[in-house]
PDB file of all heavy atoms in Angstrom:
ATOM      1  N   ILE I  29       1.758  -9.969   3.933  1.00 84.00           N
ATOM      2  CA  ILE I  29       1.038 -10.463   2.760  1.00 84.00           C
ATOM      3  C   ILE I  29       1.914 -11.385   1.931  1.00 84.00           C
ATOM      4  O   ILE I  29       1.494 -12.475   1.534  1.00 84.00           O
ATOM      5  CB  ILE I  29       0.506  -9.288   1.921  1.00 84.00           C
ATOM      6  CG1 ILE I  29      -0.652  -8.633   2.657  1.00 84.00           C
ATOM      7  CG2 ILE I  29       0.082  -9.740   0.532  1.00 84.00           C
ATOM      8  CD1 ILE I  29      -1.074  -7.315   2.073  1.00 84.00           C
ATOM      9  N   ASN I  30       3.147 -10.973   1.679  1.00 82.00           N
ATOM     10  CA  ASN I  30       4.009 -11.759   0.787  1.00 82.00           C
ATOM     11  C   ASN I  30       4.564 -13.026   1.419  1.00 82.00           C
ATOM     12  O   ASN I  30       4.843 -13.989   0.717  1.00 82.00           O
ATOM     13  CB  ASN I  30       5.159 -10.898   0.266  1.00 82.00           C
ATOM     14  CG  ASN I  30       4.740 -10.065  -0.900  1.00 82.00           C
ATOM     15  OD1 ASN I  30       3.944 -10.495  -1.720  1.00 82.00           O
ATOM     16  ND2 ASN I  30       5.247  -8.861  -0.975  1.00 82.00           N
ATOM     17  N   LEU I  33       0.193 -14.618   3.753  1.00 78.00           N
ATOM     18  CA  LEU I  33      -1.132 -14.736   3.142  1.00 78.00           C
ATOM     19  C   LEU I  33      -1.084 -15.263   1.712  1.00 78.00           C
ATOM     20  O   LEU I  33      -1.801 -16.193   1.356  1.00 78.00           O
ATOM     21  CB  LEU I  33      -1.855 -13.391   3.188  1.00 78.00           C
ATOM     22  CG  LEU I  33      -2.160 -12.835   4.574  1.00 78.00           C
ATOM     23  CD1 LEU I  33      -2.865 -11.507   4.459  1.00 78.00           C
ATOM     24  CD2 LEU I  33      -2.982 -13.814   5.372  1.00 78.00           C
ATOM     25  N   ARG I  34      -0.276 -14.642   0.865  1.00 75.00           N
ATOM     26  CA  ARG I  34      -0.251 -15.026  -0.544  1.00 75.00           C
ATOM     27  C   ARG I  34       0.259 -16.447  -0.757  1.00 75.00           C
ATOM     28  O   ARG I  34      -0.371 -17.224  -1.480  1.00 75.00           O
ATOM     29  CB  ARG I  34       0.572 -14.016  -1.355  1.00 75.00           C
ATOM     30  CG  ARG I  34       0.398 -14.171  -2.844  1.00 75.00           C
ATOM     31  CD  ARG I  34       1.243 -13.169  -3.607  1.00 75.00           C
ATOM     32  NE  ARG I  34       2.633 -13.139  -3.176  1.00 75.00           N
ATOM     33  CZ  ARG I  34       3.552 -14.040  -3.501  1.00 75.00           C
ATOM     34  NH1 ARG I  34       3.236 -15.058  -4.256  1.00 75.00           N
ATOM     35  NH2 ARG I  34       4.788 -13.926  -3.079  1.00 75.00           N
ATOM     36  N   PRO I  35       1.373 -16.883  -0.120  1.00 76.00           N
ATOM     37  CA  PRO I  35       1.813 -18.274  -0.338  1.00 76.00           C
ATOM     38  C   PRO I  35       0.822 -19.316   0.180  1.00 76.00           C
ATOM     39  O   PRO I  35       0.715 -20.401  -0.381  1.00 76.00           O
ATOM     40  CB  PRO I  35       3.131 -18.363   0.439  1.00 76.00           C
ATOM     41  CG  PRO I  35       3.610 -16.970   0.547  1.00 76.00           C
ATOM     42  CD  PRO I  35       2.378 -16.123   0.622  1.00 76.00           C
ATOM     43  N   ALA I  37      -2.377 -18.931   0.127  1.00 72.00           N
ATOM     44  CA  ALA I  37      -3.632 -18.709  -0.600  1.00 72.00           C
ATOM     45  C   ALA I  37      -4.760 -18.318   0.341  1.00 72.00           C
ATOM     46  O   ALA I  37      -5.894 -18.755   0.189  1.00 72.00           O
ATOM     47  CB  ALA I  37      -4.009 -19.916  -1.438  1.00 72.00           C
ATOM     48  N   PHE I  39      -7.173 -15.529   1.356  1.00 73.00           N
ATOM     49  CA  PHE I  39      -7.702 -14.328   0.725  1.00 73.00           C
ATOM     50  C   PHE I  39      -8.224 -13.378   1.796  1.00 73.00           C
ATOM     51  O   PHE I  39      -9.383 -13.421   2.172  1.00 73.00           O
ATOM     52  CB  PHE I  39      -8.805 -14.686  -0.268  1.00 73.00           C
ATOM     53  CG  PHE I  39      -8.369 -15.702  -1.289  1.00 73.00           C
ATOM     54  CD1 PHE I  39      -9.113 -16.836  -1.513  1.00 73.00           C
ATOM     55  CD2 PHE I  39      -7.207 -15.524  -2.003  1.00 73.00           C
ATOM     56  CE1 PHE I  39      -8.718 -17.777  -2.448  1.00 73.00           C
ATOM     57  CE2 PHE I  39      -6.800 -16.451  -2.942  1.00 73.00           C
ATOM     58  CZ  PHE I  39      -7.559 -17.576  -3.162  1.00 73.00           C
ATOM     59  N   ILE I  43      -7.962  -4.442  -0.505  1.00 85.00           N
ATOM     60  CA  ILE I  43      -7.310  -4.415  -1.811  1.00 85.00           C
ATOM     61  C   ILE I  43      -6.255  -5.509  -1.959  1.00 85.00           C
ATOM     62  O   ILE I  43      -6.207  -6.172  -3.002  1.00 85.00           O
ATOM     63  CB  ILE I  43      -6.735  -3.017  -2.078  1.00 85.00           C
ATOM     64  CG1 ILE I  43      -7.895  -2.029  -2.231  1.00 85.00           C
ATOM     65  CG2 ILE I  43      -5.849  -3.006  -3.308  1.00 85.00           C
ATOM     66  CD1 ILE I  43      -7.494  -0.591  -2.326  1.00 85.00           C
ATOM     67  N   PRO I  44      -5.395  -5.759  -0.956  1.00 82.00           N
ATOM     68  CA  PRO I  44      -4.451  -6.871  -1.121  1.00 82.00           C
ATOM     69  C   PRO I  44      -5.149  -8.215  -1.305  1.00 82.00           C
ATOM     70  O   PRO I  44      -4.693  -9.051  -2.085  1.00 82.00           O
ATOM     71  CB  PRO I  44      -3.635  -6.849   0.172  1.00 82.00           C
ATOM     72  CG  PRO I  44      -3.742  -5.459   0.664  1.00 82.00           C
ATOM     73  CD  PRO I  44      -5.112  -4.993   0.265  1.00 82.00           C
ATOM     74  N   GLY I  45      -6.267  -8.417  -0.634  1.00 82.00           N
ATOM     75  CA  GLY I  45      -7.021  -9.655  -0.817  1.00 82.00           C
ATOM     76  C   GLY I  45      -7.584  -9.779  -2.220  1.00 82.00           C
ATOM     77  O   GLY I  45      -7.570 -10.852  -2.818  1.00 82.00           O
ATOM     78  N   MET I  46      -8.085  -8.656  -2.750  1.00 86.00           N
ATOM     79  CA  MET I  46      -8.572  -8.671  -4.131  1.00 86.00           C
ATOM     80  C   MET I  46      -7.434  -8.976  -5.100  1.00 86.00           C
ATOM     81  O   MET I  46      -7.631  -9.698  -6.084  1.00 86.00           O
ATOM     82  CB  MET I  46      -9.199  -7.316  -4.481  1.00 86.00           C
ATOM     83  CG  MET I  46     -10.506  -7.053  -3.798  1.00 86.00           C
ATOM     84  SD  MET I  46     -11.261  -5.423  -4.030  1.00 86.00           S
ATOM     85  CE  MET I  46     -10.455  -4.677  -5.380  1.00 86.00           C
ATOM     86  N   ALA I  47      -6.248  -8.456  -4.814  1.00 83.00           N
ATOM     87  CA  ALA I  47      -5.098  -8.710  -5.688  1.00 83.00           C
ATOM     88  C   ALA I  47      -4.678 -10.174  -5.620  1.00 83.00           C
ATOM     89  O   ALA I  47      -4.312 -10.760  -6.647  1.00 83.00           O
ATOM     90  CB  ALA I  47      -3.936  -7.802  -5.301  1.00 83.00           C
ATOM     91  N   VAL I  48      -4.739 -10.784  -4.436  1.00 81.00           N
ATOM     92  CA  VAL I  48      -4.406 -12.204  -4.314  1.00 81.00           C
ATOM     93  C   VAL I  48      -5.418 -13.060  -5.075  1.00 81.00           C
ATOM     94  O   VAL I  48      -5.044 -13.997  -5.787  1.00 81.00           O
ATOM     95  CB  VAL I  48      -4.328 -12.621  -2.825  1.00 81.00           C
ATOM     96  CG1 VAL I  48      -4.204 -14.130  -2.682  1.00 81.00           C
ATOM     97  CG2 VAL I  48      -3.160 -11.940  -2.139  1.00 81.00           C
ATOM     98  N   VAL I  49      -6.697 -12.719  -4.957  1.00 84.00           N
ATOM     99  CA  VAL I  49      -7.726 -13.451  -5.709  1.00 84.00           C
ATOM    100  C   VAL I  49      -7.482 -13.301  -7.210  1.00 84.00           C
ATOM    101  O   VAL I  49      -7.526 -14.280  -7.961  1.00 84.00           O
ATOM    102  CB  VAL I  49      -9.139 -12.953  -5.328  1.00 84.00           C
ATOM    103  CG1 VAL I  49     -10.183 -13.505  -6.271  1.00 84.00           C
ATOM    104  CG2 VAL I  49      -9.463 -13.330  -3.898  1.00 84.00           C
ATOM    105  N   PHE I  50      -7.220 -12.085  -7.662  1.00 87.00           N
ATOM    106  CA  PHE I  50      -6.944 -11.849  -9.073  1.00 87.00           C
ATOM    107  C   PHE I  50      -5.723 -12.637  -9.532  1.00 87.00           C
ATOM    108  O   PHE I  50      -5.724 -13.233 -10.612  1.00 87.00           O
ATOM    109  CB  PHE I  50      -6.732 -10.353  -9.319  1.00 87.00           C
ATOM    110  CG  PHE I  50      -6.429 -10.008 -10.744  1.00 87.00           C
ATOM    111  CD1 PHE I  50      -7.428  -9.980 -11.697  1.00 87.00           C
ATOM    112  CD2 PHE I  50      -5.133  -9.719 -11.135  1.00 87.00           C
ATOM    113  CE1 PHE I  50      -7.154  -9.674 -13.017  1.00 87.00           C
ATOM    114  CE2 PHE I  50      -4.843  -9.402 -12.451  1.00 87.00           C
ATOM    115  CZ  PHE I  50      -5.858  -9.384 -13.395  1.00 87.00           C
ATOM    116  N   LEU I  51      -4.686 -12.670  -8.681  1.00 82.00           N
ATOM    117  CA  LEU I  51      -3.463 -13.398  -9.025  1.00 82.00           C
ATOM    118  C   LEU I  51      -3.739 -14.891  -9.170  1.00 82.00           C
ATOM    119  O   LEU I  51      -3.210 -15.537 -10.076  1.00 82.00           O
ATOM    120  CB  LEU I  51      -2.410 -13.153  -7.945  1.00 82.00           C
ATOM    121  CG  LEU I  51      -1.000 -13.575  -8.253  1.00 82.00           C
ATOM    122  CD1 LEU I  51      -0.454 -12.755  -9.412  1.00 82.00           C
ATOM    123  CD2 LEU I  51      -0.120 -13.385  -7.042  1.00 82.00           C
ATOM    124  N   HIS I  52      -4.594 -15.443  -8.327  1.00 81.00           N
ATOM    125  CA  HIS I  52      -4.919 -16.859  -8.445  1.00 81.00           C
ATOM    126  C   HIS I  52      -5.841 -17.138  -9.629  1.00 81.00           C
ATOM    127  O   HIS I  52      -5.833 -18.250 -10.163  1.00 81.00           O
ATOM    128  CB  HIS I  52      -5.545 -17.378  -7.149  1.00 81.00           C
ATOM    129  CG  HIS I  52      -4.523 -17.647  -6.100  1.00 81.00           C
ATOM    130  ND1 HIS I  52      -3.812 -18.816  -6.028  1.00 81.00           N
ATOM    131  CD2 HIS I  52      -4.059 -16.876  -5.092  1.00 81.00           C
ATOM    132  CE1 HIS I  52      -2.976 -18.770  -5.030  1.00 81.00           C
ATOM    133  NE2 HIS I  52      -3.100 -17.592  -4.441  1.00 81.00           N
ATOM    134  N   MET I  53      -6.608 -16.139 -10.053  1.00 86.00           N
ATOM    135  CA  MET I  53      -7.467 -16.327 -11.223  1.00 86.00           C
ATOM    136  C   MET I  53      -6.657 -16.337 -12.515  1.00 86.00           C
ATOM    137  O   MET I  53      -6.946 -17.123 -13.416  1.00 86.00           O
ATOM    138  CB  MET I  53      -8.525 -15.220 -11.278  1.00 86.00           C
ATOM    139  CG  MET I  53      -9.627 -15.379 -10.270  1.00 86.00           C
ATOM    140  SD  MET I  53     -10.777 -13.990 -10.177  1.00 86.00           S
ATOM    141  CE  MET I  53     -11.039 -13.529 -11.856  1.00 86.00           C
ATOM    142  N   VAL I  54      -5.657 -15.460 -12.616  1.00 86.00           N
ATOM    143  CA  VAL I  54      -4.899 -15.370 -13.865  1.00 86.00           C
ATOM    144  C   VAL I  54      -3.697 -16.297 -13.896  1.00 86.00           C
ATOM    145  O   VAL I  54      -3.141 -16.542 -14.955  1.00 86.00           O
ATOM    146  CB  VAL I  54      -4.435 -13.917 -14.140  1.00 86.00           C
ATOM    147  CG1 VAL I  54      -5.616 -13.003 -14.325  1.00 86.00           C
ATOM    148  CG2 VAL I  54      -3.503 -13.415 -13.077  1.00 86.00           C
ATOM    149  N   GLY I  55      -3.293 -16.800 -12.760  1.00 78.00           N
ATOM    150  CA  GLY I  55      -2.177 -17.739 -12.724  1.00 78.00           C
ATOM    151  C   GLY I  55      -1.001 -17.185 -11.935  1.00 78.00           C
ATOM    152  O   GLY I  55      -0.751 -15.984 -11.902  1.00 78.00           O
ATOM    153  N   THR I  56      -0.293 -18.091 -11.317  1.00 69.00           N
ATOM    154  CA  THR I  56       0.796 -17.676 -10.440  1.00 69.00           C
ATOM    155  C   THR I  56       2.042 -17.227 -11.190  1.00 69.00           C
ATOM    156  O   THR I  56       2.987 -16.764 -10.566  1.00 69.00           O
ATOM    157  CB  THR I  56       1.169 -18.810  -9.476  1.00 69.00           C
ATOM    158  OG1 THR I  56       1.489 -19.971 -10.242  1.00 69.00           O
ATOM    159  CG2 THR I  56       0.041 -19.104  -8.515  1.00 69.00           C
ATOM    160  N   GLU I  57       2.053 -17.345 -12.492  1.00 72.00           N
ATOM    161  CA  GLU I  57       3.224 -16.865 -13.243  1.00 72.00           C
ATOM    162  C   GLU I  57       3.319 -15.336 -13.226  1.00 72.00           C
ATOM    163  O   GLU I  57       4.339 -14.770 -13.596  1.00 72.00           O
ATOM    164  CB  GLU I  57       3.234 -17.384 -14.687  1.00 72.00           C
ATOM    165  CG  GLU I  57       2.091 -16.900 -15.543  1.00 72.00           C
ATOM    166  CD  GLU I  57       0.870 -17.813 -15.497  1.00 72.00           C
ATOM    167  OE1 GLU I  57       0.841 -18.769 -14.721  1.00 72.00           O
ATOM    168  OE2 GLU I  57      -0.059 -17.544 -16.268  1.00 72.00           O
ATOM    169  N   TYR I  58       2.265 -14.670 -12.769  1.00 72.00           N
ATOM    170  CA  TYR I  58       2.282 -13.213 -12.673  1.00 72.00           C
ATOM    171  C   TYR I  58       2.627 -12.722 -11.271  1.00 72.00           C
ATOM    172  O   TYR I  58       2.423 -11.559 -10.955  1.00 72.00           O
ATOM    173  CB  TYR I  58       0.922 -12.642 -13.098  1.00 72.00           C
ATOM    174  CG  TYR I  58       0.608 -12.906 -14.536  1.00 72.00           C
ATOM    175  CD1 TYR I  58      -0.298 -13.896 -14.895  1.00 72.00           C
ATOM    176  CD2 TYR I  58       1.237 -12.175 -15.533  1.00 72.00           C
ATOM    177  CE1 TYR I  58      -0.570 -14.148 -16.231  1.00 72.00           C
ATOM    178  CE2 TYR I  58       0.972 -12.428 -16.865  1.00 72.00           C
ATOM    179  CZ  TYR I  58       0.063 -13.411 -17.204  1.00 72.00           C
ATOM    180  OH  TYR I  58      -0.199 -13.668 -18.519  1.00 72.00           O
ATOM    181  N   THR I  59       3.159 -13.596 -10.432  1.00 74.00           N
ATOM    182  CA  THR I  59       3.501 -13.230  -9.066  1.00 74.00           C
ATOM    183  C   THR I  59       4.496 -12.077  -9.022  1.00 74.00           C
ATOM    184  O   THR I  59       4.444 -11.238  -8.129  1.00 74.00           O
ATOM    185  CB  THR I  59       4.075 -14.447  -8.315  1.00 74.00           C
ATOM    186  OG1 THR I  59       3.086 -15.463  -8.293  1.00 74.00           O
ATOM    187  CG2 THR I  59       4.453 -14.100  -6.898  1.00 74.00           C
ATOM    188  N   SER I  60       5.379 -11.997  -9.979  1.00 78.00           N
ATOM    189  CA  SER I  60       6.381 -10.931  -9.974  1.00 78.00           C
ATOM    190  C   SER I  60       5.754  -9.558 -10.188  1.00 78.00           C
ATOM    191  O   SER I  60       6.403  -8.547  -9.940  1.00 78.00           O
ATOM    192  CB  SER I  60       7.444 -11.201 -11.041  1.00 78.00           C
ATOM    193  OG  SER I  60       6.846 -11.281 -12.315  1.00 78.00           O
ATOM    194  N   PHE I  61       4.502  -9.499 -10.617  1.00 82.00           N
ATOM    195  CA  PHE I  61       3.807  -8.226 -10.818  1.00 82.00           C
ATOM    196  C   PHE I  61       2.822  -7.918  -9.691  1.00 82.00           C
ATOM    197  O   PHE I  61       1.929  -7.096  -9.867  1.00 82.00           O
ATOM    198  CB  PHE I  61       3.045  -8.245 -12.147  1.00 82.00           C
ATOM    199  CG  PHE I  61       3.930  -8.422 -13.338  1.00 82.00           C
ATOM    200  CD1 PHE I  61       3.923  -9.617 -14.029  1.00 82.00           C
ATOM    201  CD2 PHE I  61       4.776  -7.404 -13.754  1.00 82.00           C
ATOM    202  CE1 PHE I  61       4.729  -9.791 -15.137  1.00 82.00           C
ATOM    203  CE2 PHE I  61       5.585  -7.578 -14.850  1.00 82.00           C
ATOM    204  CZ  PHE I  61       5.572  -8.769 -15.537  1.00 82.00           C
ATOM    205  N   PHE I  62       2.972  -8.567  -8.549  1.00 81.00           N
ATOM    206  CA  PHE I  62       1.996  -8.421  -7.467  1.00 81.00           C
ATOM    207  C   PHE I  62       1.871  -6.974  -6.989  1.00 81.00           C
ATOM    208  O   PHE I  62       0.770  -6.477  -6.776  1.00 81.00           O
ATOM    209  CB  PHE I  62       2.364  -9.347  -6.304  1.00 81.00           C
ATOM    210  CG  PHE I  62       1.325  -9.383  -5.225  1.00 81.00           C
ATOM    211  CD1 PHE I  62       0.071  -9.895  -5.481  1.00 81.00           C
ATOM    212  CD2 PHE I  62       1.595  -8.891  -3.965  1.00 81.00           C
ATOM    213  CE1 PHE I  62      -0.900  -9.932  -4.498  1.00 81.00           C
ATOM    214  CE2 PHE I  62       0.643  -8.928  -2.970  1.00 81.00           C
ATOM    215  CZ  PHE I  62      -0.608  -9.451  -3.236  1.00 81.00           C
ATOM    216  N   GLY I  63       2.982  -6.271  -6.834  1.00 84.00           N
ATOM    217  CA  GLY I  63       2.937  -4.872  -6.405  1.00 84.00           C
ATOM    218  C   GLY I  63       2.200  -3.995  -7.403  1.00 84.00           C
ATOM    219  O   GLY I  63       1.436  -3.097  -7.021  1.00 84.00           O
ATOM    220  N   LEU I  64       2.390  -4.242  -8.672  1.00 87.00           N
ATOM    221  CA  LEU I  64       1.695  -3.480  -9.710  1.00 87.00           C
ATOM    222  C   LEU I  64       0.198  -3.786  -9.717  1.00 87.00           C
ATOM    223  O   LEU I  64      -0.619  -2.881  -9.913  1.00 87.00           O
ATOM    224  CB  LEU I  64       2.308  -3.797 -11.079  1.00 87.00           C
ATOM    225  CG  LEU I  64       1.773  -3.014 -12.265  1.00 87.00           C
ATOM    226  CD1 LEU I  64       2.045  -1.530 -12.082  1.00 87.00           C
ATOM    227  CD2 LEU I  64       2.413  -3.511 -13.543  1.00 87.00           C
ATOM    228  N   ILE I  65      -0.147  -5.030  -9.464  1.00 87.00           N
ATOM    229  CA  ILE I  65      -1.562  -5.400  -9.398  1.00 87.00           C
ATOM    230  C   ILE I  65      -2.227  -4.698  -8.218  1.00 87.00           C
ATOM    231  O   ILE I  65      -3.330  -4.149  -8.347  1.00 87.00           O
ATOM    232  CB  ILE I  65      -1.723  -6.933  -9.301  1.00 87.00           C
ATOM    233  CG1 ILE I  65      -1.256  -7.592 -10.599  1.00 87.00           C
ATOM    234  CG2 ILE I  65      -3.155  -7.327  -8.994  1.00 87.00           C
ATOM    235  CD1 ILE I  65      -1.103  -9.090 -10.514  1.00 87.00           C
ATOM    236  N   VAL I  66      -1.544  -4.667  -7.071  1.00 86.00           N
ATOM    237  CA  VAL I  66      -2.080  -3.981  -5.895  1.00 86.00           C
ATOM    238  C   VAL I  66      -2.272  -2.496  -6.190  1.00 86.00           C
ATOM    239  O   VAL I  66      -3.309  -1.910  -5.882  1.00 86.00           O
ATOM    240  CB  VAL I  66      -1.163  -4.195  -4.672  1.00 86.00           C
ATOM    241  CG1 VAL I  66      -1.549  -3.287  -3.529  1.00 86.00           C
ATOM    242  CG2 VAL I  66      -1.189  -5.637  -4.224  1.00 86.00           C
ATOM    243  N   PHE I  69      -5.374  -1.731  -8.376  1.00 89.00           N
ATOM    244  CA  PHE I  69      -6.632  -1.710  -7.625  1.00 89.00           C
ATOM    245  C   PHE I  69      -6.726  -0.462  -6.751  1.00 89.00           C
ATOM    246  O   PHE I  69      -7.797   0.126  -6.600  1.00 89.00           O
ATOM    247  CB  PHE I  69      -6.773  -2.957  -6.755  1.00 89.00           C
ATOM    248  CG  PHE I  69      -7.153  -4.193  -7.523  1.00 89.00           C
ATOM    249  CD1 PHE I  69      -6.371  -5.326  -7.466  1.00 89.00           C
ATOM    250  CD2 PHE I  69      -8.303  -4.228  -8.298  1.00 89.00           C
ATOM    251  CE1 PHE I  69      -6.712  -6.475  -8.156  1.00 89.00           C
ATOM    252  CE2 PHE I  69      -8.660  -5.364  -9.002  1.00 89.00           C
ATOM    253  CZ  PHE I  69      -7.860  -6.494  -8.924  1.00 89.00           C
ATOM    254  N   THR I 100       5.552  -4.021  -1.363  1.00 85.00           N
ATOM    255  CA  THR I 100       4.999  -5.325  -1.723  1.00 85.00           C
ATOM    256  C   THR I 100       5.812  -5.951  -2.839  1.00 85.00           C
ATOM    257  O   THR I 100       6.103  -7.151  -2.819  1.00 85.00           O
ATOM    258  CB  THR I 100       3.529  -5.191  -2.149  1.00 85.00           C
ATOM    259  OG1 THR I 100       2.797  -4.600  -1.106  1.00 85.00           O
ATOM    260  CG2 THR I 100       2.924  -6.528  -2.487  1.00 85.00           C
ATOM    261  N   GLN I 101       6.229  -5.146  -3.792  1.00 85.00           N
ATOM    262  CA  GLN I 101       7.031  -5.652  -4.902  1.00 85.00           C
ATOM    263  C   GLN I 101       8.425  -6.070  -4.435  1.00 85.00           C
ATOM    264  O   GLN I 101       8.968  -7.063  -4.893  1.00 85.00           O
ATOM    265  CB  GLN I 101       7.136  -4.575  -5.991  1.00 85.00           C
ATOM    266  CG  GLN I 101       7.662  -5.078  -7.288  1.00 85.00           C
ATOM    267  CD  GLN I 101       6.742  -6.076  -7.953  1.00 85.00           C
ATOM    268  OE1 GLN I 101       5.528  -5.991  -7.867  1.00 85.00           O
ATOM    269  NE2 GLN I 101       7.328  -7.052  -8.618  1.00 85.00           N
ATOM    270  N   ILE I 104       8.612  -9.687  -2.196  1.00 77.00           N
ATOM    271  CA  ILE I 104       7.995 -10.905  -2.725  1.00 77.00           C
ATOM    272  C   ILE I 104       8.809 -12.107  -2.294  1.00 77.00           C
ATOM    273  O   ILE I 104      10.023 -12.168  -2.515  1.00 77.00           O
ATOM    274  CB  ILE I 104       7.850 -10.846  -4.254  1.00 77.00           C
ATOM    275  CG1 ILE I 104       6.807  -9.819  -4.635  1.00 77.00           C
ATOM    276  CG2 ILE I 104       7.496 -12.215  -4.818  1.00 77.00           C
ATOM    277  CD1 ILE I 104       6.612  -9.655  -6.112  1.00 77.00           C
ATOM    278  N   ALA I 105       8.141 -13.051  -1.641  1.00 68.00           N
ATOM    279  CA  ALA I 105       8.809 -14.267  -1.154  1.00 68.00           C
ATOM    280  C   ALA I 105       9.062 -15.207  -2.327  1.00 68.00           C
ATOM    281  O   ALA I 105       8.254 -15.305  -3.242  1.00 68.00           O
ATOM    282  CB  ALA I 105       7.935 -14.965  -0.112  1.00 68.00           C
TER     283      ALA I 105
END
Side-chain angles (χ1 to χ4, degrees):
I29 288 168
N30 278 324
L33 297 180
R34 193 181 50 77
F39 306 128
I43 293 173
M46 289 175 15
V48 171
V49 169
F50 180 77
L51 192 64
H52 281 276
M53 286 173 41
V54 297
T56 56
E57 64 270 6
Y58 296 104
T59 299
S60 59
F61 299 108
F62 187 65
L64 184 62
I65 293 168
V66 169
F69 284 124
T100 303
Q101 193 65 34
I104 291 178

